[in-house]
Amino acid sequence: MARNGGVAWMRTTEKIDGYDLSTSDTEEVHVLAVDDSLVDRKVIERLLRISSCKVTAVDSGRRALQYLGLDEEIQKKETNGFDGLKVDLIITDYCMPGMTGYELLKKVKESSAFREIPVVIMSSENVIARIDRCLEEGAEDFIVKPVKLSDVKRIIDYTTTELREGEQREGARARRRGINKRKQREGDDDLSSSPPSTLSSSTSSSPSSSIQSATAPLSPSTLDSPTRRLKMTSSE
Amino acid sequence: MDLVQLQRQLVDYRTSLYHEGFLDEQFTQLQSLQDENNPDFVVEVVSLFFEDSERLLNELSKALEQQVIDFKRMDAQVHQLKGSSSSIGAHRVQKLCIVFRNYCEAQNVEGCLKCLQQVKHEYGIIKTKLESMFQLEQQILNAGGSIPV
C-alpha cells in the first residue's frame, strides 16, 4: 500500500492507512473529564467509556491545565500531558473549589494551542445567566446534572462529526497540494455530491460555527461506504 | 427461600424504594450502565457515595459545634452532598440538602441543626435499604440466578 505523505491528517494513530478513520473504534474520542466529586467522576467515566471514549478524569481545573500542559507554574516540556494523548473534548463541572469550570473554560479558550478543543460544562444548577455566560465564553454545551447517558451520547456524536469534518478539511488540503492525485480525483467526485442527511442534521444541531459542510469534500458516509473502501484498497 | 422467590422479593423491594421516594430515575440510569463486564458498577458508585456522605456529615456536625459557624463552608459541603446524592438517585437526601442550603444561606443555626439531623436520619435509612438490596442481589447471584432488571 502506498504511503500517504499527508500525515497531517492522521490525528492519533501512526497508521498511514486512512481507511481506519471510517470505523468508529480507531477513531476514539479522548475526553478529559474534570470534577471534584469522586462519585461524579466515577459516573462520568463510565458514561464516557460506554460511549466508546478514552477517558482521563482529574479532580480539579488546575490538574486539567497541568494535563494539557497549560499550567504556568509547571514547565510545558515537563508535562506535555500525562501520557501525551491529544484531548478531543473537555467535560468539566462548573462548581469546583479553587478554579471553577468557567475559569478553566476561559483558560482553554485563551490558549492558542487548545482553544479549538470543545468544552462542555456540567452543573447541578440550571441558571440561565450561568449557562449564557459559559456559552458566550465559548462553551460547546451545558449539561444539567445529574448527567445521563443520552447527554453524553449527544455530545460525543457531534464532537465526532466535527472531528471527522476537521480531518476531512485537512485531508482535502493535503490532496489539493497534489500529494496523492488518485485520492484527489475521488475527492473531486465527492465534491459534486450533496452531503448526506446525517452530516447536515448534525451540523444544524451543533452550536459551533466552524463547520462548513459546503466545503467538506468527503462526507462520513461516503468514507464509510464499503464500495469506496474497496476502491481505495484495490488501487493501492 | 428459592431463587424465584428471592428474585421476586428483590423486584418488590426495589419498586417500593422508588414508590416511597427513596430512589429516583437516576438510580435506574446507574443500573443501566452496569453489564457483565462491569458487574459491580452500582455497588462501587454507591460505596463511594457512602464514604463521601459520611465524611461530609461529620464535617457538618463539627462545623455546627464551632463558636463561629462558617456558613459559607457549610453551604459548599451541603452542595457537595446534594450533588452526590443526586448523582446516585438518593432522592430524599437530595431534597433535604436543598432545604439545608436555604438555612445556610439564611445563616439560621437552629434550622441548620434540625436539617442536619434530618439528613443524617434519611442518609441512615437509604444506606440500610441499599445495603439490604445489595445483599439480596448477592443471594440471588450465589444461588446461581441473575438479577432481574
Side-chain angles (χ1 to χ4, degrees):
Chain A
M1 196 173 299
R3 296 215 138 211
N4 179 359
V7 289
W9 67 308
M10 294 302 154
R11 192 177 45 79
T12 47
T13 66
E14 286 307 301
K15 285 189 210 159
I16 303 302
D17 178 5
Y19 323 129
D20 287 344
L21 286 174
S22 65
T23 58
S24 53
D25 1 273
T26 53
E27 187 71 4
E28 267 196 331
V29 177
H30 178 213
V31 184
L32 179 60
V34 191
D35 201 319
D36 61 312
S37 160
L38 192 45
V39 171
D40 288 354
R41 273 201 309 280
K42 183 144 180 98
V43 174
I44 195 76
E45 232 178 317
R46 180 81 187 118
L47 289 171
L48 289 166
R49 292 223 164 95
I50 284 186
S51 308
S52 308
C53 297
K54 279 209 255 296
V55 192
T56 300
V58 298
D59 63 2
S60 70
R62 178 85 190 271
R63 301 282 278 170
L65 291 179
Q66 284 172 8
Y67 184 84
L68 293 169
L70 275 178
D71 190 346
E72 287 126 22
E73 293 184 27
I74 295 181
Q75 290 303 309
K76 196 166 178 178
K77 62 175 157 68
E78 283 176 37
T79 52
N80 204 26
F82 292 161
D83 55 7
L85 269 186
K86 185 177 179 285
V87 170
D88 299 309
L89 169 69
I90 298 170
I91 287 185
T92 178
D93 189 24
Y94 184 93
C95 277
M96 294 188 290
M99 187 184 296
T100 65
Y102 177 70
E103 286 159 357
L104 173 62
L105 165 69
K106 285 211 314 198
K107 286 234 146 62
V108 169
K109 293 302 167 186
E110 280 163 12
S111 127
S112 49
F114 300 107
R115 70 163 64 103
E116 292 303 313
I117 302 179
V119 180
V120 172
I121 309 279
M122 304 179 282
S123 176
S124 55
E125 262 123 44
N126 195 359
V127 177
I128 303 291
R130 178 180 292 186
I131 298 171
D132 282 348
R133 205 179 340 133
C134 290
L135 293 176
E136 270 163 37
E137 203 59 45
E140 194 73 20
D141 206 334
F142 191 100
I143 305 176
V144 179
K145 282 181 161 182
V147 185
K148 295 180 170 38
L149 188 57
S150 52
D151 297 321
V152 172
K153 284 207 151 134
R154 185 188 82 237
I155 282 162
I156 300 301
D157 271 349
Y158 65 67
T159 302
T160 312
T161 310
E162 284 175 34
L163 281 174
R164 280 212 200 103
E165 288 172 6
E167 276 146 6
Q168 283 146 27
R169 280 198 296 277
E170 285 183 60
R173 278 184 224 124
R175 281 186 286 278
R176 282 195 287 274
R177 286 197 290 271
I179 286 163
N180 187 321
K181 282 184 180 159
R182 180 193 56 75
K183 280 194 177 133
Q184 190 175 29
R185 269 202 306 277
E186 286 177 315
D188 288 338
D189 288 343
D190 288 321
L191 263 169
S192 57
S193 65
S194 56
S197 57
T198 49
L199 178 61
S200 41
S201 63
S202 302
T203 308
S204 59
S205 64
S206 167
S208 166
S209 56
S210 61
I211 297 171
Q212 298 155 58
S213 54
T215 59
L218 288 170
S219 59
S221 66
T222 52
L223 264 181
D224 281 345
S225 84
T227 321
R228 183 171 178 78
R229 274 203 293 271
L230 279 170
K231 250 201 288 181
M232 288 173 126
T233 317
S234 59
S235 49
E236 289 295 278
Chain B
M1 206 183 290
D2 73 355
L3 181 58
V4 174
Q5 281 180 293
L6 280 174
Q7 288 169 324
R8 203 170 294 151
Q9 194 185 2
L10 174 67
V11 172
D12 288 346
Y13 195 63
R14 225 191 261 152
T15 308
S16 74
L17 292 180
Y18 285 100
H19 278 170
E20 289 163 32
F22 289 105
L23 294 177
D24 62 33
E25 67 274 2
Q26 186 61 19
F27 190 79
T28 317
Q29 258 286 308
L30 289 192
Q31 288 187 305
S32 72
L33 302 182
Q34 188 164 285
D35 58 26
E36 27 335 308
N37 296 322
N38 298 268
D40 301 318
F41 175 69
V42 178
V43 172
E44 285 168 6
V45 179
V46 172
S47 302
L48 287 175
F49 166 70
F50 290 160
E51 281 171 34
D52 216 35
S53 302
E54 277 155 42
R55 175 185 61 86
L56 288 165
L57 290 169
N58 279 334
E59 289 184 20
L60 287 164
S61 298
K62 285 204 202 97
L64 282 165
E65 286 164 14
Q66 301 307 308
Q67 287 279 7
V68 180
I69 296 175
D70 189 345
F71 286 103
K72 195 155 174 243
R73 189 151 178 264
M74 268 181 49
D75 181 69
Q77 286 162 340
V78 179
H79 173 82
Q80 280 182 53
L81 184 56
K82 176 172 138 307
S84 52
S85 55
S86 156
S87 294
I88 70 144
H91 189 78
R92 288 196 190 187
V93 175
Q94 184 202 344
K95 288 291 176 246
L96 277 172
C97 286
I98 296 173
V99 180
F100 200 156
R101 283 194 80 188
N102 290 336
Y103 283 123
C104 290
E105 217 176 320
Q107 305 208 352
N108 181 336
V109 180
E110 283 312 305
C112 285
L113 280 166
K114 199 167 143 228
C115 251
L116 179 59
Q117 284 319 302
Q118 286 175 317
V119 175
K120 279 182 172 174
H121 180 71
E122 280 301 334
Y123 168 73
I125 295 177
I126 191 65
K127 183 171 183 207
T128 306
K129 288 192 180 281
L130 285 171
E131 283 174 341
S132 301
M133 199 187 78
F134 292 145
Q135 268 167 28
L136 204 42
E137 288 182 353
Q138 196 55 56
Q139 278 181 278
I140 291 170
L141 292 172
N142 293 343
S146 61
I147 298 169
V149 286

